[in-house]
Amino acid sequence: MLARNAWEKRKLSEVTNLITKGTTPREKGGRGEVNFIKVENLSKNGNIFTTSKVSVSEHQGYLARSILQENDILFSIAGSLGRTAIVPKLVLPANTNQALAIIRLSTGCVEFVATYLSGEAIDRYIRRNPTVGAQPNISLTQVASLQIDWPSLHEQEVISKLFARVKDLIAATQSRLSSLELLKKALLQDLFI
């Protein structure tokens, strides 16, 4: 059993090498060779799908500060606050815009931190601390000061595996539900033509 009362409180800035955000590309066509990830490319279950691209020259030029690496955590800081995803190798090379914070860990389990950032404690923090303008947002300073419950690395890994299993069960259940809905639709069409 995990001893939660023995966990430390750590600011996100204490366990990271980098917390930054991207830039808006000047070219608005969405074409190029490099994936460009925006908030709308993060699904609620933590997956990333790509629809936009930028050129290699943009990616390596004025967008260079937001070049993504494998296992970076993307965390939405504008619009749909709190969406979280881990950058997988298969979307690279990739870049992002200013609505997503890039969080690069220096220590700890990336899956644990991403899971923690997608949890209720962070939702409560965001609701208490948004900067409201044209759309709700939180600053990089606020992201860096997020307090995280910090167990041992072993406990982080155990917790991450547990949540990965739950996520897989949810995906399997949703897939089965979709199949049953299609079956129902087909039966209704066959029976009530």
Side-chain angles (χ1 to χ4, degrees):
M1 189 70 184
L2 301 174
R4 184 161 186 236
N5 59 351
W7 294 3
E8 298 176 39
K9 286 274 192 198
R10 294 287 234 0
K11 285 185 178 179
L12 191 56
S13 61
E14 296 173 10
V15 297
T16 57
N17 286 328
L18 175 75
I19 298 176
T20 191
K21 62 182 179 177
T23 305
T24 301
R26 294 180 194 130
E27 298 294 325
K28 301 297 183 199
R31 291 180 292 278
E33 305 80 30
V34 177
N35 289 317
F36 192 76
I37 301 167
K38 300 179 270 190
V39 172
E40 55 266 24
N41 300 123
L42 305 186
S43 69
K44 289 183 181 180
N45 64 0
N47 294 323
I48 298 172
F49 58 95
T50 57
T51 55
S52 260
K53 307 269 186 186
V54 293
S55 70
V56 171
S57 62
E58 287 179 291
H59 177 65
Q60 294 174 345
Y62 68 93
L63 296 175
R65 82 166 196 203
S66 52
I67 292 174
L68 298 176
Q69 296 179 10
E70 184 177 7
N71 291 324
D72 282 349
I73 298 170
L74 297 177
F75 182 69
S76 61
I77 58 174
S80 300
L81 299 179
R83 282 200 186 171
T84 307
I86 299 171
V87 176
K89 189 174 189 172
L90 64 99
V91 302
L92 299 176
N95 210 300
T96 190
N97 70 5
Q98 71 279 5
L100 290 170
I102 303 165
I103 301 166
R104 193 167 295 149
L105 296 184
S106 59
T107 187
C109 176
V110 70
E111 291 85 2
F112 172 80
V113 174
T115 300
Y116 194 92
L117 290 173
S118 64
E120 183 59 32
I122 301 304
D123 282 345
R124 282 192 307 272
Y125 177 86
I126 289 170
R127 283 193 301 272
R128 286 191 315 263
N129 296 291
T131 304
V132 180
Q135 63 181 357
N137 63 81
I138 57 175
S139 70
L140 292 178
T141 302
Q142 289 171 308
V143 172
S145 67
L146 288 170
Q147 293 279 326
I148 294 180
D149 291 315
W150 197 256
S152 70
L153 182 59
H154 173 73
E155 288 175 311
Q156 290 178 34
E157 291 166 349
V158 169
I159 291 166
S160 297
K161 287 177 184 173
L162 169 68
F163 277 96
R165 282 191 220 128
V166 170
K167 182 179 171 182
D168 290 345
L169 281 170
I170 290 169
T173 303
Q174 287 174 334
S175 176
R176 177 126 170 88
L177 180 61
S178 296
S179 296
L180 289 171
E181 287 172 348
L182 288 173
L183 175 62
K184 177 184 173 185
K185 185 177 180 180
L187 288 172
L188 285 170
Q189 287 177 347
D190 287 347
L191 291 174
F192 301 110
I193 297 179

